[in-house]
Amino acid sequence: MKNIFLYLIVTVFVLFSFQYNVFAEEARQLDLKSEGAVLLDSETNAILYAKNADEKMYPASLTKIATAIYAIEKGNLDSIVTVSANAVRQDGTRVYLNEGEQVPLKKLIQGMLINSGNDAAVAIAEYLDGDVKTFAESLNSYLKNKIGVTNTHFTNPNGLHDENHYTTAMDLALITNYALKNPTFAEIFGTKVLDWQGQSWSTRILTHHRMLKGELPYPGISGGKTGYTTEAKQTLATTAGNGNLKLTAVVLKSDLKNDKYKDTAVLFDYGFKGYQHETINQGVIFKSGNKEFYPESDIVITEDVSGNIKTVNDEGLLSIENNNGQVLQKVQLKYKDPPKSKSAEIKSKKANKKESPLILLNTLIGLLLITGAGTLIQRQRRRKVSRYY
């Protein structure tokens, strides 16, 4: 009877928890047209909003964010790249490179990110790894092992459609946040206009991102990249800051071009209004049962302005949740070794006291044995001398 009663209690608790989480999920829905969307804190990677965040989708030219940071970290920005015929033949948006043209690597990255040059992307890939196929293999390994994304597979450097070329909104946001830590990437990602001198044309290339360009004004926009193919539809990655928070928004698969910008503005409004930073000071103790954990240094976390709950598990993983049960961030803490109990200290002292007389006794016995041995040796020597005489 007790077991049946316990089972009923557990069942009710599970059902209640499920209903609560569903309610929390529904309460947090924003009116977004894009099929996939993620809003992250650019500095802490806290997840502030997610819609179909882990669903595999086509990124189109947002691929170039990954290509850019890979090229910046692997290549020499001042090295000269010779453009191939294959690069020149690329479809879609280009910076109109000529076959045999020699261009610094950094300039190619600028042309790829700012003006979305598909030809520049292939020139970069061939310079770094010899050919596009080898580049894609190296890029996928880099994204998995260096950045830690697991739902991304790229077959080319520019995002032209391929059924096996996919990622997720979450992975793209994490890739963007990783890239933003590099000053060269951040500079190019935020560039609106660049004078371009090439063999085939001299012009001023402009970012395609309408919020970054100022056509659709939003305060604090700091960088962005657009994307579009027929299969991927409209895609957009954007960063912004308000002096307190820096946010990264990624939206995928919008039907209309303006929808991706409206969705991005909705995400930023939501993030800047509802979240803030807090610092957990070094050495603050968090308990899980009898275990204690602490941060080794000051940690900046992202919190919901309406309230938060901090919990730590037996492995020392600290979870920051808002009042709706949404996990915003997880931080690994360090285990604190428990102090010795008084009884253990007393036993240790007693053991030391017991050992001290024994050590003294053994020392005395050793000295007596050495003295006795010395005396015997002296007597034997005297006997030998007396016999000789």
Side-chain angles (χ1 to χ4, degrees):
M1 190 68 182
K2 285 183 179 179
N3 290 336
I4 294 173
F5 183 67
L6 181 62
Y7 173 79
L8 288 172
I9 291 175
V10 171
T11 303
V12 170
F13 176 79
V14 170
L15 288 173
F16 176 79
S17 299
F18 175 74
Q19 289 171 357
Y20 177 79
N21 288 332
V22 170
F23 173 77
E25 179 93 8
E26 289 174 352
R28 288 281 173 168
Q29 287 301 311
L30 300 177
D31 183 19
L32 303 180
K33 300 294 191 300
S34 304
E35 291 191 24
V38 163
L39 180 68
L40 297 186
D41 185 309
S42 304
E43 297 172 297
T44 68
N45 275 349
I47 304 167
L48 310 186
Y49 187 83
K51 175 185 177 182
N52 298 324
D54 296 318
E55 186 174 329
K56 292 176 182 177
M57 298 182 185
Y58 301 127
S61 284
L62 300 195
T63 302
K64 292 164 183 165
I65 295 171
T67 299
I69 187 58
Y70 173 66
I72 290 168
E73 290 197 350
K74 181 173 182 177
N76 179 350
L77 295 175
D78 297 322
S79 60
I80 302 301
V81 179
T82 301
V83 179
S84 71
N86 181 45
V88 171
R89 287 194 298 265
Q90 294 301 301
D91 294 330
T93 309
R94 293 171 287 162
V95 287
Y96 299 101
L97 300 170
N98 287 339
E99 182 180 354
E101 185 174 354
Q102 293 189 318
V103 187
L105 177 61
K106 183 176 180 180
K107 185 176 179 179
L108 288 174
I109 296 170
Q110 290 171 319
M112 176 184 68
L113 271 185
I114 301 167
N115 201 55
S116 205
N118 292 330
D119 48 358
V122 170
I124 291 167
E126 292 176 338
Y127 161 74
L128 292 173
D129 292 298
D131 58 71
V132 169
K133 182 180 179 182
T134 306
F135 165 85
E137 292 171 353
S138 299
L139 178 63
N140 289 327
S141 177
Y142 167 86
L143 295 174
K144 181 179 179 180
N145 298 320
K146 192 70 180 286
I147 302 179
V149 298
T150 56
N151 294 313
T152 294
H153 183 268
F154 291 151
T155 60
N156 61 61
N158 47 32
L160 290 176
H161 182 68
D162 185 297
E163 287 186 358
N164 293 315
H165 188 99
Y166 56 81
T167 186
T168 67
M170 182 63 74
D171 277 8
L172 276 175
L174 292 172
I175 292 168
T176 302
N177 276 1
Y178 174 85
L180 287 169
K181 295 175 184 176
N182 185 288
T184 300
F185 176 89
E187 172 205 339
I188 300 173
F189 195 63
T191 300
K192 302 175 185 180
V193 182
L194 180 72
D195 289 329
W196 183 273
Q197 300 293 329
Q199 284 186 0
S200 62
W201 67 333
S202 296
T203 186
R204 301 182 76 196
I205 58 175
L206 305 175
T207 178
H208 297 177
H209 197 296
R210 298 185 65 192
M211 295 172 84
L212 180 60
K213 202 163 27 176
E215 292 178 355
L216 297 172
Y218 190 95
I221 296 294
S222 58
K225 182 74 193 76
T226 62
Y228 172 79
T229 64
T230 303
E231 296 81 4
K233 298 185 178 181
Q234 298 288 341
T235 64
L236 193 71
T238 317
T239 56
N242 68 352
N244 298 312
L245 288 180
K246 294 179 180 178
L247 302 180
T248 299
V250 172
V251 295
L252 299 178
K253 209 171 183 180
S254 304
D255 288 322
L256 302 176
K257 183 181 288 188
N258 279 348
D259 285 345
K260 64 184 179 184
Y261 291 107
K262 291 177 181 177
D263 287 353
T264 297
V266 168
L267 287 168
F268 283 150
D269 286 345
Y270 169 78
F272 288 130
K273 182 181 178 181
Y275 295 90
Q276 63 189 8
H277 276 169
E278 184 193 327
T279 300
I280 299 177
N281 294 324
Q282 178 183 6
V284 173
I285 300 298
F286 293 88
K287 293 185 178 182
S288 176
N290 295 324
K291 294 182 179 180
E292 293 186 344
F293 302 91
Y294 65 95
E296 291 187 274
S297 59
D298 291 352
I299 299 173
V300 176
I301 62 170
T302 311
E303 291 192 330
D304 192 315
V305 296
S306 63
N308 302 271
I309 301 168
K310 299 182 183 74
T311 58
V312 64
N313 65 14
D314 285 344
E315 281 70 48
L317 191 62
L318 175 67
S319 294
I320 295 93
E321 302 178 15
N322 62 20
N323 290 331
N324 292 315
Q326 176 190 354
V327 177
L328 305 176
Q329 190 177 351
K330 293 185 178 182
V331 178
Q332 184 61 54
L333 303 178
K334 187 172 179 61
Y335 177 66
K336 182 181 179 182
D337 293 323
K340 288 184 178 180
S341 64
K342 289 185 178 179
S343 59
E345 288 181 3
I346 292 169
K347 286 180 181 179
S348 178
K349 287 179 180 178
K350 286 182 178 178
N352 288 335
K353 286 180 180 178
K354 289 179 180 178
E355 287 176 2
S356 295
L358 288 174
I359 292 170
L360 181 60
L361 180 61
N362 289 334
T363 302
L364 290 172
I365 291 171
L367 288 172
L368 289 171
L369 288 172
I370 291 168
T371 303
T375 302
L376 288 173
I377 291 168
Q378 289 292 334
R379 287 178 180 177
Q380 287 176 356
R381 284 180 179 175
R382 287 172 184 171
R383 287 175 183 173
K384 286 180 181 180
V385 170
S386 62
R387 284 177 185 173
Y388 179 77
Y389 284 106

